Amino acid sequence: MIKFILMVNKQGQTRLAQYYEFLSVRERVTLEGELIRKCLSRSESQCSFVEYRDYRVVYRRYASLYFIVGIDNDEDCNELAILEFIHTLVETLDKYFENVCELDI
Amino acid sequence: MVFEKSLTAMVKGIRAHRGNESEYIQACITEIQKEVASKNMSTKSMAVLKLAYLTMLGYDMAWATFAVVEVMGTNRFATKRPGYLASSISFTDQTDVGLLTINLFKKDFGSQSQYESGTAINCLSNICSAEISRDIMTDLLSLLSSSRAYLRKKTVLCLYRIFLKDPPALRTCFPKLKDRLGDEDQGVLTATVNTFLELARKNARNYLSLVPQLYHILVNTQNNWLSIKLLKVFQLLSPLEPRLPAKLVEPLTNILNTTKAQSVEFEAIRCVVRSMPEGSAIVALAIEKLQTFLNSSDRNLRFLALDLYKEVVEKFKEKTSLKDLHDKVLTSIEEPDLTVRRVALQLLDRIVDPSNFQEAVQRLLEFSRKATLNDEFIGTILRMAARDRYALVEDFAWYLLILGEISRNMDSSYAATVAEQFVDICVRVPQVRPYAVTLALGLLDTPAEAERDSISVCTPMVAACAWLLGEYSGDLEKPSEAAFLSGAKVLLTSRSIQALDAATQTQCIWAASKLYLAVPEHAPSTVAQLHELLCSQLPSFVRSTHLDVSERARLALNIANFYKADAQSLQSAKGLVAEQLLPVKPDAQAQVPVSVDLDEPFFVIEEARPSFMPVRADPTDPYSLASTYKDDLGFASEPNRAEAPQSTAQGVPSSSMYYLGKSDERAAAEQAQEPSVPEVKDPLAQMRERLEAQRNAGAPKYQVMRDDVTAPGATPTPDAGQVPSSSSTATLPIPPEKELTDLQGRLWTVCHRGEHLAVYVCIRSPNLRKRQIRLELRCERLCAPELLVSDVALRFPSAAHVQEADASGRMLVVGSLQERSSKVKANLDSAPFLWPGVFDLRCELEYLVKSASSEAAEAQSLPIQLRFPATTFLAPQPMSEDTISDYVSSKSDLLGHQTAQALSFEKTADLSSLVGRCAGLCHFHGIQQAVSPQSQDMKFLLVGAVQPPSAATLEGQRAAPTGALVICRCAALVRPSGLELRITVKAFQQ
């Protein structure tokens, strides 16, 4: 199951965060910081799945914004489906805002 | 009038007060406190919204929960929504106003606007508790068949959250929820399948009845997301229903061949891998698809394919074309992506076999030299090699060389493992020792001029090499004089040794002294040189600040001084290091039964004996006294010990105490030697050449001692994988004493349940040595609180010899009995208990009862029986299968009775440990018998001995025949339905 969805920009600022399980504010901040550093350090040629703590993290970059989705590591989620889900999410945003950009979020 | 601030204004305010936000927020909260009390609903709603924001920043809003409920109850959607939001954020199971929300939910569920109902459902899923669920279930069920798809979808999803909180609700909802699988709306359908998927993850068996509907949806749907979810459900269900995989072949083949979406394709492959039997056509198709994934240019697909291949390799041993995969994996290891690399390494770990192991290791080593983070590669090499006791390694000399190379990497975190394997291989493979010792010497003795005094291998490896050199010095290449000398020199003289940690230094010192002790046998001509080396170098170690090092050096020095440079006397010292080491199981120590009883005095106090044995005065034999001495150190067998040192000392002038020019001469000798080796070679390179030469000459056959030595007296644990098919008998692993004691501690039985109180007893294992049995007793009051029960005591029969009991018996409770008494221990003398059968010990229970109204307490006395289980007084009898069958044939009169019993179990994974545990609890010794390798059945024999007769007797007890045994035969038969256990007990009497 999806545990959290983050939208973080290249400067490491979290633009939107939605958690589906309880985490304290401090835990969230460290999690977001570590994750974005991890994602930023990866190049284009690397795959979009990262293992982080107990999560399997799927991320995708759109311009300067990273969409990061954390899923349970024990259950096998379909990573490709999550990638498609991220894309659907972006398309939805695009439709709503018309030519969506980071500022809209 | 308080100025009403909007949420945006507050957020802006917080941003503006950078540095002292908390002050500003405190001000806001005081403001909100006033606003919440206001009559104006929109003000109140805004206040709640602001509070919700502040909660997310970590401020408490529990004080405002009532206001939240009020806001939830307003009529306007805009004011209502903040209330629902705030409650779903802040309400917990403990929030008492939560119950007030039930009516609000009921009202909003019936609302005209589907959005109002939707918000309410949303909120409910977040704050639901078991209580709320019970009250609201009927409303939710009617929403499930609402005419609006939006609401049906939300309700289905909400139900999942409710089931988590209130599992019984699932039972009432199940039929309605199942109907939703036929919903024509895609959203509702997906939500329902999703809910069932999550439920099936918890307990898939309950959802087998849904298979026909799910199958129908799978065949008809075009929705990718839905297909993925369905495939996941089928993955969970197919192991439980043997007919399902065959059914699924067709739709899965269809999906694999037609789908455009890679995610669905991947999920289908995964489903095939997990649920289809090996060898079917669809598996081949799936693996073919997987191969294309692996070769694809998309990095994500490559990663997933590798990841899935791990499962494939594990499940289908034979099928996969390993050769291709092997190459592919080796290339993937080079990928720049760490995640891919790690998965590839894990996969490599599983697919290597002896034929390609060497190649794989070479490749890994190459990468590890290139990569900066190379520990992973090295770890993989070590892991692969060590698996199944070096099953993959065919050429051990080559592998040792690899280890040597790895150990050059000073800061690897695997240094200790490398050293460990190095030693382990040498211990297990005797044939590789000559090579290993030379390699060890080479590694220690770095020839490069610049590194004269710095050891270039990692510290644990130095210790390992030192140990090898000392232990297997006999395997050094003949003539070994030079090797012995340089070995000792490198161990003692190199200055960097003294910079290493204490443990390594001690190893080096001891290895050097072992070389010295072994020298007469293998290199007799260098005795004097070695002796002198020890005498000159050890004093510097004696001065070490490490106690260990100093002590060990002193010991070595004294040994050297004692034996001098005398080859013959040294021969006699061989005994010091004669015993060979064998591979020892890591847990061997733990398996030795603890024989020390802390209650027993360490020293048996003996009567003082005369210090000297009286010697028989025999004038005819003056040597009688001398003959009582033992020739412990072998002095007597060395008649010409006194002359020997002189003779050898003559040959070697440097050992003379008058000799002065030794240091110069040695330096000169070294200089003289060095030019003779014109080019300084890396020892590893040299060893590599040797390896080549050795290979060309025909590689030696290596035999690995894969069996571990267990400590004597320990019960060997049968290998888990070996047990069912092995043709040998194995002793059952009896769990350690602590575990048994724990288990026994849980076996409480009721021995009395009367009008006023109940007594429970727990019977511990008898201590056979001390002839004691411990009982633990506890009582519980059963009567009404007005009655005071006090001074409970248990009087045992006098023959039972209760220790520490006073005249009135063992007191269980002194004073009045509250709910439950604490545990009271009683030690009984176990000598009178002889009969190996169920035995009831008659005792009397005494206590005082006093009602609140009456003054006088009434004394009660009741007879009760303490029941000892049949096996309490058996003692485990370690016997082999043969001795048991001997016993059975010879003492048939003592096994006249036989009883049988059959039990059936669900399948348990580890039956032998289960039976072992039972045997331990019932004081039996257990053996596992051989069965034919095809059958999965197991047979066990359990043996227990009865108590030896004793003088004391107890009413109802009599002695069993001396030496009688109780033999119990268990046969576990594997049936499709479960496990059937047939137990036959043979004893001398019923």
Side-chain angles (χ1 to χ4, degrees), chain B residues 551-593:
Chain B
E551 203 170 45
R552 191 56 72 93
R554 207 180 292 269
L555 174 64
L557 195 60
N558 278 328
I559 290 176
N561 284 336
F562 184 81
Y563 290 109
K564 306 273 180 339
D566 175 359
Q568 272 181 316
S569 71
L570 260 182
Q571 281 280 359
S572 66
K574 239 174 29 187
L576 280 176
V577 289
E579 201 165 315
Q580 251 223 351
L581 287 168
L582 290 169
V584 177
K585 245 187 170 167
D587 57 345
Q589 182 78 48
Q591 291 192 355
V592 182

Side-chain angles (χ1 to χ4, degrees), chain A residues 1 25 42 44-49 51 56 75-81 83-85, chain B residues 56 198 201 225 228 232 262-263 266-267 270 274 299-300 303-304 307 336-337 339 342:
Chain A
M1 269 211 287
V25 178
R42 295 171 71 87
E44 275 294 282
S45 64
Q46 302 187 340
C47 73
S48 344
F49 317 119
E51 264 171 44
R56 173 161 288 207
E75 311 166 3
D76 21 53
C77 235
N78 191 316
E79 290 88 347
L80 292 174
L83 276 182
E84 279 170 33
F85 161 75
Chain B
M56 288 193 275
E198 292 306 327
R201 281 196 211 278
W225 189 263
I228 292 172
K232 280 184 185 299
Q262 279 162 332
S263 51
F266 179 74
E267 198 57 53
R270 182 144 69 182
R274 292 203 179 150
R299 56 210 148 61
N300 291 338
F303 168 78
L304 291 176
D307 206 23
D337 188 342
T339 329
R342 200 177 60 237

Side-chain angles (χ1 to χ4, degrees), chain B residues 620-828:
Chain B
T620 58
D621 182 9
Y623 300 108
S624 62
L625 180 61
S627 68
T628 57
Y629 290 128
K630 270 212 250 152
D631 183 18
D632 278 340
L633 296 168
F635 295 146
S637 61
E638 305 281 331
N640 46 0
R641 179 167 62 95
E643 292 109 291
Q646 284 164 14
S647 60
T648 39
Q650 276 165 3
V652 188
S654 58
S655 70
S656 157
M657 66 182 287
Y658 301 110
Y659 184 74
L660 294 171
K662 68 177 178 187
S663 52
D664 295 348
E665 196 184 87
R666 191 173 335 115
E670 269 175 8
Q671 275 166 10
Q673 267 181 2
E674 265 164 24
S676 69
V677 188
E679 44 189 334
V680 182
K681 270 190 172 176
D682 183 9
L684 284 180
Q686 285 173 7
M687 292 308 286
R688 204 168 291 132
E689 281 166 19
R690 261 193 65 171
L691 180 66
E692 287 303 314
Q694 207 176 18
R695 277 190 182 168
N696 294 339
K701 281 267 171 282
Y702 295 110
Q703 283 178 338
V704 190
M705 290 191 267
R706 290 208 164 83
D707 297 333
D708 287 326
V709 175
T710 46
T715 44
T717 353
D719 265 341
Q722 193 192 357
V723 170
S725 60
S726 84
S727 58
S728 61
T729 43
T731 310
L732 268 185
I734 303 285
E737 203 170 334
K738 184 168 179 316
E739 195 188 326
L740 285 182
T741 332
D742 283 353
L743 280 172
Q744 271 171 356
R746 290 192 221 146
L747 294 174
W748 286 82
T749 48
V750 184
C751 65
H752 167 76
R753 180 174 278 274
E755 184 188 354
H756 300 112
L757 60 123
V759 180
Y760 303 91
V761 66
C762 172
I763 297 168
R764 295 302 193 136
S765 274
N767 186 334
L768 295 177
R769 201 184 41 72
K770 291 205 283 184
R771 308 207 57 111
Q772 258 183 16
I773 177 159
R774 200 172 89 198
L775 306 179
E776 283 166 7
L777 298 153
R778 224 184 237 283
C779 41
E780 186 186 14
R781 63 180 279 146
L782 298 173
C783 55
E786 311 86 75
L787 288 177
L788 273 176
V789 178
S790 60
D791 296 337
V792 186
L794 195 62
R795 196 192 290 274
F796 291 97
S798 58
H801 297 295
V802 182
Q803 289 159 14
E804 308 147 34
D806 44 34
S808 62
R810 190 80 184 117
M811 292 302 286
L812 300 188
V813 182
V814 181
S816 72
L817 171 64
Q818 301 301 325
E819 278 300 289
R820 249 172 231 159
S821 77
S822 56
K823 216 156 55 176
V824 176
K825 290 172 189 156
N827 283 321
L828 261 63

Side-chain angles (χ1 to χ4, degrees), chain B residues 395-418:
Chain B
D395 187 347
F396 280 95
W398 164 82
Y399 184 63
L400 286 180
L401 189 63
I402 297 282
L403 287 181
E405 232 163 278
I406 296 173
S407 70
R408 283 289 179 79
N409 181 352
M410 302 280 284
D411 49 353
S412 165
S413 61
Y414 289 100
T417 325
V418 172

Side-chain angles (χ1 to χ4, degrees), chain B residues 466-524:
Chain B
W467 186 82
L468 281 184
L469 216 51
E471 185 67 23
Y472 300 120
S473 54
D475 289 318
L476 277 168
E477 212 166 74
K478 306 269 175 336
S480 48
E481 278 79 3
F484 264 85
L485 262 186
S486 64
K489 216 179 273 172
V490 102
L491 286 171
L492 293 178
T493 55
S494 154
R495 233 178 298 134
S496 57
I497 293 273
Q498 291 198 31
L500 299 176
D501 62 299
T504 315
Q505 284 189 49
T506 354
Q507 291 243 23
C508 289
I509 293 169
W510 194 238
S513 20
K514 267 152 100 182
L515 278 179
Y516 166 66
L517 290 174
V519 93
E521 208 176 327
H522 303 289

Side-chain angles (χ1 to χ4, degrees), chain B residues 258-321:
Chain B
T258 56
T259 184
K260 297 266 184 320
Q262 279 162 332
S263 51
V264 181
E265 189 178 347
F266 179 74
E267 198 57 53
I269 295 174
R270 182 144 69 182
C271 189
V272 170
V273 168
R274 292 203 179 150
S275 48
M276 293 296 164
E278 183 166 0
S280 48
I282 188 162
V283 171
L285 176 67
I287 288 178
E288 189 189 309
K289 293 269 176 194
L290 195 56
Q291 214 116 39
T292 53
F293 270 23
L294 196 60
N295 295 324
S296 108
S297 59
D298 185 343
R299 56 210 148 61
N300 291 338
L301 290 183
R302 280 204 304 272
F303 168 78
L304 291 176
L306 278 177
D307 206 23
L308 190 53
Y309 250 118
K310 277 200 296 196
E311 275 182 45
V312 173
V313 170
E314 218 149 78
K315 196 167 169 217
F316 313 120
K317 283 264 165 346
E318 325 300 327
K319 268 292 274 181
T320 39
S321 48

